[in-house]
Amino acid sequence: MRILEKLGLGQKTRKSSPNIGKKKQQKLKEAEKKKIKYLRILIFSVFVISILITLPQTSFQPVASYTVGEPWRSDDLTAPFTFSLKKSSAELEEERQEIRQSTPPVFHADQNAIVSIDARIDSVNRTLQPVLDNYLQWQRAKLNSESSAADDSSRFFQERRFSGLDLSEEAWNTILNDYETKQLESSNQTLLIEQILSNVRNIATELLNRGIIDRIKSNIEQDEIIVRNLVDRTERTINLERTFDPNEALEYADSQLQRSLNNRAAEVGFEIFSKIIEPNYIYSEEDTETILSERLNNIATTKGAVEQGEIIIRKGDIVTSERANMLESLAEARAITASDHEKLLRFLGESIVIIAAALVFLFYIYLYRLNIFNNPSMFLLVFIVMGLFILGSAAIYQVESVNSYIVPIAVAPIILTIIFDSRVGLTATITMAMITGVIHDNSFEYLIATTVACSLGVFSVRDIKNRSQFFFTTPGVVMGSYLFVLGGFALTRYTGLDQFSTDVLFVVINSIFILFTYPLILLIEKLFKITTDFTLLELGDTNLPLMKKLMNEAPGTFHHSLQVANLAESAASEIGANGLLCRVGAMYHDIGKMDKPAYFIENQNKTNDHDKLKPKMSALVIKNHVSEGVKIAKDHNLPNVLIEFIKTHHGTSLIKYFYGKAQNQKETIPEEDFRYDGPIPYTKEQGILLLADGVEAASRAMKDPNYSKLENLINRLIDDNINDGQLSNCPLTFKHIQTIKNSFLNILVGVYHSRIEYPEDKKKRESEEKAKKEEKNKAPDENSSSSDEDKSGDEKSEE
């Protein structure tokens, strides 16, 4: 290596390596920039193309927009060609209802019903005969006083039970008494049961020939039914009155039996009939629905025609429902008859307007929000949020039964305001209002209502402090804005508030949907790893476990952090920075001191552990609280934005006290060993925290602080940080610096204002001063270092 250096090659080799590295880094940066550029183009293109694809294609705007009940503001409209006049929705619904009422239900004829009933009657006769025989045998044994009478009785009841004939006791008695009488008397008369079954058979046959349906007639609206014989493949339409339903069949059978038989026999016959009868016309829901669907599909959607040259509406005429129907018919006729050239021109015109609106938002992001433009994930997030609600609005617009105001367009700009700022939300509002206005047939009313409601929704969340403000205030503001604007348009109509009443319901639903913004934001935070004010509000709670741990293990540091939080929040609010972010960042900036709390002055009592260490080691312990704080923050899953506060709250500043102590001990140690590792702050909020941290610690160590001392201290500390380059990367101006100084001064003067000294306090203070003097006289060397520390507040703050 020495030979190469002598030849001059070693030096060149060492110099060429960094150049090669820089070139590679430059190429990588250029490649990364190209990648981000193409990614932005892709995201924006997908956003625009998705909207253009969902543009309504089924309608064709008839010259000008209109509202039913308002005057026609355009010139006289004449039919450009002959077109059919379509029926109104009410007329079509009336025809559909008539078809539903007039379409007869379809029943399938059961050809086997008569055969089945005959078989049941024969089965009753066969089943009944053994019961009658056993009954007769029992009665004879009983009459002759035979010993087998008891067994015959048991056999009879067993046979009756096993017969399965579920007849009443009265019916059994009637049948058995008649059988016993005629058998014992050897009468040639026909048995009563045979008469009953014969009558039942005849009545059932008669009813089935006329037809028994399996539905109650009162539930059938039609006067006729269609009966299909699937075996013979025949179909006939018969009058419903010619048939019987189950109830009518029973009533008819009862009356016929009463006419043919005596009362008791008729009752037995009715019981048997009710158990064997069944409908032979079975309702077919499938066939009925098929016929109904065919008839509904064949409804003509037009009535008459409007001849070419006929006046449709004149300027100033009120747009009635009839004229509106003519205008809609013209629009549909144009959509059907429009040439490909006309459709292309219409689509091209809408596309130009939508692309222009989208470009306005893109240029705003490029010119004024480079942090979004240069960050692909944030760029994607913005257009995903906007695109989802625009596409939702386009989809709902094509559903005739749903009002377009049900779509919560305001959610998108509200989300963007909470994540970024109100200017991004307001620009998104204007862009989305223009695009959705075009989608809604260039509706001026929709454009104005959306713009006003979304803008006021953005203003309501620009400085959100708690969830109740979001859950109650924002939905109320959006709903009130919609109602206010729509009410104004309603007053300009001549038909009263009919349309306004319809819109109110959907506006209320729209406002309820805004409550889903909160879970959407939580989802976005997880997916895109961003931190919103909602998360900061949660982390700002001092009852959280990490804050409680800091309070218990390092109470002085905890109190110091709260004081720094007050200073930082006030200063940030004064210059228009994020005060909430400053406050929460200040609360967590010193959590690394929990590792070795006794080495920091605010947590010490009488002893100082640094007295046992060399200056370099003390500096390492002091510096370590930054890296330890980052580790603790990551272990507790704190957002990255707070971790950056921990890293930058000292920047690369010099630990002056121990550096001076090392110099006094004549140690040759590089200054870099006594500087924090950084990085230096690069946002307004981080710069404010760095200044607030040093000022608070130094002012706390100051003896008898007053306005003049505090002012000099603040000016000196902030100027030292500026001269040391700690704020070089911060977007803080000189005006901001002056405002921050004034804010710090006002708060510290309020904190350290003079108080009335009571007599007992005065005596206590004098005795303490006397004791200190005596102790100092006894051991001057031991306390010299501590008295030196009291001379410089900013040096004490480093511990």
Side-chain angles (χ1 to χ4, degrees):
M1 189 69 185
R2 291 179 181 177
I3 297 173
L4 291 174
E5 288 178 1
K6 289 180 179 180
L7 294 173
L9 298 175
Q11 189 174 0
K12 289 180 182 179
T13 304
R14 287 195 301 271
K15 286 185 178 180
S16 61
S17 297
N19 290 335
I20 294 173
K22 288 181 180 178
K23 287 180 180 179
K24 287 184 178 179
Q25 289 179 0
Q26 189 174 0
K27 286 182 180 180
L28 289 174
K29 286 182 181 179
E30 290 177 357
E32 185 68 21
K33 286 182 180 179
K34 284 184 180 180
K35 182 180 176 182
I36 293 174
K37 178 182 177 181
Y38 294 142
L39 189 58
R40 280 197 298 262
I41 294 173
L42 177 63
I43 293 170
F44 184 75
S45 300
V46 170
F47 171 75
V48 173
I49 292 171
S50 300
I51 295 172
L52 297 182
I53 290 173
T54 58
L55 282 176
Q57 303 294 326
T58 56
S59 62
F60 200 96
Q61 188 67 14
V63 181
S65 60
Y66 63 89
T67 303
V68 177
E70 293 186 0
W72 179 261
R73 294 182 173 85
S74 300
D75 295 333
D76 296 352
L77 180 61
T78 304
F81 52 84
T82 301
F83 62 91
S84 298
L85 191 61
K86 73 170 192 174
K87 296 176 183 177
S88 65
S89 300
E91 291 173 329
L92 289 172
E93 183 57 34
E94 185 178 353
E95 287 192 28
R96 293 189 189 101
Q97 191 62 29
E98 288 178 1
I99 289 175
R100 292 188 187 99
Q101 293 176 354
S102 62
T103 300
V106 179
F107 289 84
H108 291 171
D110 184 3
Q111 295 292 92
N112 298 322
I114 294 179
V115 177
S116 297
I117 288 176
D118 283 341
R120 289 194 188 102
I121 294 173
D122 293 340
S123 176
V124 170
N125 193 19
R126 288 194 303 271
T127 306
L128 193 59
Q129 193 60 46
V131 178
L132 296 175
D133 292 342
N134 281 285
Y135 179 75
L136 182 61
Q137 184 176 351
W138 172 39
Q139 294 302 319
R140 283 176 177 171
K142 196 167 60 169
L143 182 65
N144 298 327
S145 301
E146 296 177 2
S147 60
S148 62
D151 294 336
D152 293 338
S153 172
S154 300
R155 191 178 300 109
F156 159 71
F157 284 106
Q158 184 177 7
E159 192 68 35
R160 173 178 161 180
R161 185 168 60 254
F162 289 157
S163 68
L165 296 176
D166 188 17
L167 300 176
S168 64
E169 193 64 33
E170 291 80 4
W172 278 114
N173 291 336
T174 301
I175 295 171
L176 295 173
N177 289 337
D178 176 77
Y179 185 76
E180 178 188 3
T181 302
K182 290 180 178 177
Q183 290 296 327
L184 292 177
E185 294 177 356
S186 299
S187 174
N188 293 326
Q189 294 182 359
T190 305
L191 294 174
L192 180 63
I193 187 61
E194 294 177 354
Q195 297 177 27
I196 292 172
L197 293 178
S198 177
N199 278 274
V200 167
R201 190 189 304 272
N202 294 334
I203 294 170
T205 302
E206 180 184 357
L207 288 172
L208 292 175
N209 286 333
R210 291 183 60 180
I212 302 176
I213 61 176
D214 63 346
R215 290 286 186 273
I216 304 300
K217 282 185 178 180
S218 59
N219 296 334
I220 301 175
E221 298 179 356
Q222 297 77 10
D223 296 329
E224 295 179 333
I225 64 172
I226 296 174
V227 179
R228 289 179 175 175
N229 190 323
L230 301 181
V231 177
D232 299 337
R233 296 187 177 182
T234 60
E235 177 180 296
R236 58 196 177 100
T237 302
I238 62 176
N239 195 298
L240 185 63
E241 293 299 325
R242 292 187 58 229
T243 62
F244 294 88
D245 65 14
N247 293 334
E248 289 178 341
L250 292 175
E251 290 176 2
Y252 181 80
D254 186 40
S255 65
Q256 293 298 315
L257 290 169
Q258 291 287 348
R259 186 179 301 172
S260 304
L261 303 171
N262 59 47
N263 290 337
R264 288 188 177 181
E267 290 175 1
V268 175
F270 184 77
E271 283 191 38
I272 295 173
F273 178 86
S274 62
K275 289 176 172 52
I276 67 165
I277 197 65
E278 66 177 12
N280 63 331
Y281 288 170
I282 311 302
Y283 175 70
S284 173
E285 183 177 1
E286 182 180 354
D287 289 1
T288 304
E289 288 297 324
T290 300
I291 293 177
L292 182 61
S293 298
E294 290 177 357
R295 295 188 178 186
L296 290 175
N297 292 334
N298 291 331
I299 294 177
T301 58
T302 60
K303 55 173 184 179
V306 178
E307 297 294 331
Q308 183 178 0
E310 183 179 343
I311 296 293
I312 297 176
I313 191 169
R314 298 182 184 276
K315 184 176 182 179
D317 288 350
I318 300 298
V319 182
T320 61
S321 56
E322 292 78 9
R323 287 195 172 104
N325 187 40
M326 295 176 71
L327 293 170
E328 290 176 9
S329 300
L330 174 59
E332 289 192 6
R334 277 190 175 183
I336 295 171
T337 61
S339 64
D340 293 337
H341 178 68
E342 288 177 321
K343 291 179 179 179
L344 179 62
L345 289 178
R346 172 178 177 266
F347 179 75
L348 182 61
E350 292 181 342
S351 300
I352 289 173
V353 177
I354 290 173
I355 293 172
L359 285 173
V360 167
F361 184 78
L362 180 65
F363 287 146
Y364 170 79
I365 297 295
Y366 171 70
L367 294 174
Y368 300 104
R369 290 295 181 270
L370 283 176
N371 59 323
I372 299 175
F373 188 81
N374 293 328
N375 189 329
S377 62
M378 295 299 100
F379 192 82
L380 175 64
L381 171 61
V382 169
F383 285 101
I384 282 179
V385 172
M386 292 173 59
L388 285 177
F389 288 93
I390 292 174
L391 296 178
S393 179
I396 291 296
Y397 175 69
Q398 300 184 59
V399 181
E400 293 184 3
S401 59
V402 181
N403 191 300
S404 297
Y405 289 110
I406 197 174
V407 180
I409 294 290
V411 171
I414 287 173
I415 289 176
L416 296 180
T417 299
I418 293 173
I419 294 175
F420 301 109
D421 56 60
S422 58
R423 294 183 182 180
V424 175
L426 191 58
T427 309
T429 292
I430 298 170
T431 303
M432 295 179 69
M434 289 191 291
I435 293 175
T436 52
V438 172
I439 292 173
H440 289 72
D441 277 340
N442 304 325
S443 173
F444 179 72
E445 177 179 331
Y446 186 88
L447 172 66
I448 297 299
T450 301
T451 302
V452 173
C454 293
S455 299
L456 293 179
V458 166
F459 296 148
S460 70
V461 298
R462 63 189 298 268
D463 189 23
I464 196 163
K465 296 296 183 184
N466 51 59
R467 292 185 185 88
S468 62
Q469 176 186 348
F470 177 78
F471 282 110
F472 296 103
T473 305
T474 301
V477 167
V478 173
M479 182 174 67
S481 304
Y482 268 120
L483 297 180
F484 184 74
V485 175
L486 295 178
F489 278 102
L491 294 175
T492 64
R493 300 190 182 101
Y494 290 84
T495 55
L497 302 177
D498 294 338
Q499 182 61 41
F500 177 71
S501 302
T502 304
D503 293 338
V504 166
L505 173 62
F506 292 96
V507 167
V508 172
I509 298 173
N510 179 317
S511 303
I512 294 173
F513 283 155
I514 292 177
L515 299 178
F516 290 97
T517 306
Y518 186 73
L520 281 176
I521 289 175
L522 296 180
L523 178 62
I524 291 171
E525 284 184 327
K526 297 295 183 183
L527 292 177
F528 290 89
K529 296 181 179 180
I530 56 178
T531 305
T532 65
D533 286 354
F534 287 126
T535 303
L536 294 176
L537 286 170
E538 293 175 354
L539 293 173
D541 186 1
T542 55
N543 291 316
L544 292 175
L546 185 56
M547 284 287 99
K548 283 191 172 182
K549 184 178 180 182
L550 178 64
M551 180 174 59
N552 293 328
E553 296 184 6
T557 299
F558 176 77
H559 179 72
H560 159 72
S561 298
L562 294 182
Q563 293 293 88
V564 173
N566 292 332
L567 287 172
E569 182 181 26
S570 175
S573 300
E574 290 288 337
I575 67 169
N578 191 333
L580 179 61
L581 178 59
C582 266
R583 178 173 189 83
V584 179
M587 291 175 63
Y588 289 89
H589 80 284
D590 268 346
I591 56 175
K593 292 183 178 179
M594 288 190 293
D595 183 44
K596 295 181 176 65
Y599 284 90
F600 299 92
I601 192 69
E602 66 267 21
N603 300 313
Q604 295 174 357
N605 292 322
K606 294 182 179 180
T607 62
N608 189 341
D609 292 346
H610 286 285
D611 294 340
K612 305 173 185 178
L613 303 176
K614 290 184 178 181
K616 183 177 180 179
M617 185 58 66
S618 294
L620 288 174
V621 173
I622 297 297
K623 288 166 61 176
N624 186 61
H625 86 276
V626 175
S627 57
E628 190 63 30
V630 172
K631 181 181 176 183
I632 294 172
K634 289 180 178 179
D635 290 341
H636 286 78
N637 295 319
L638 291 183
N640 190 60
V641 66
L642 296 185
I643 295 176
E644 291 302 307
F645 274 97
I646 298 173
K647 289 180 180 179
T648 61
H649 78 275
H650 281 299
T652 58
S653 59
L654 181 66
I655 306 175
K656 294 180 182 179
Y657 177 75
F658 291 109
Y659 181 66
K661 192 174 181 181
Q663 288 182 324
N664 292 336
Q665 295 177 3
K666 297 181 179 181
E667 295 183 14
T668 57
I669 299 175
E671 183 179 303
E672 288 74 15
D673 291 350
F674 287 86
R675 284 189 176 273
Y676 287 96
D677 297 328
I680 61 176
Y682 54 86
T683 66
K684 290 180 181 179
E685 291 78 11
Q686 292 171 4
I688 292 171
L689 176 60
L690 182 143
L691 299 177
D693 186 31
V695 167
E696 196 284 329
S699 63
R700 193 159 32 86
M702 181 180 288
K703 287 186 177 181
D704 300 325
N706 54 40
Y707 186 93
S708 179
K709 287 183 178 180
L710 290 171
E711 184 178 25
N712 291 334
L713 176 67
I714 292 170
N715 289 332
R716 179 170 58 81
L717 289 178
I718 292 179
D719 291 344
D720 286 348
N721 278 298
I722 294 174
N723 295 331
D724 195 29
Q726 298 305 312
L727 303 180
S728 299
N729 290 344
C730 276
L732 292 173
T733 64
F734 285 113
K735 185 177 180 180
H736 290 154
I737 295 297
Q738 188 58 47
T739 305
I740 292 170
K741 287 180 179 180
N742 294 336
S743 176
F744 287 171
L745 182 60
N746 291 333
I747 291 180
L748 292 177
V749 167
V751 171
Y752 298 112
H753 67 278
S754 58
R755 297 176 177 84
I756 298 174
E757 189 173 23
Y758 294 95
E760 56 270 21
D761 294 335
K762 186 177 180 181
K763 291 179 180 179
K764 184 178 179 181
R765 179 176 58 81
E766 290 176 351
S767 62
E768 288 177 352
E769 290 179 354
K770 184 177 180 182
K772 283 183 179 179
K773 287 181 180 179
E774 293 176 354
E775 187 177 354
K776 185 176 180 181
N777 292 330
K778 290 179 181 179
D781 295 335
E782 294 179 4
N783 295 285
S784 59
S785 61
S786 62
S787 62
D788 289 337
E789 291 178 10
D790 291 339
K791 293 178 182 178
S792 176
D794 55 333
E795 291 176 357
K796 287 190 74 172
S797 69
E798 292 164 1
E799 298 183 18

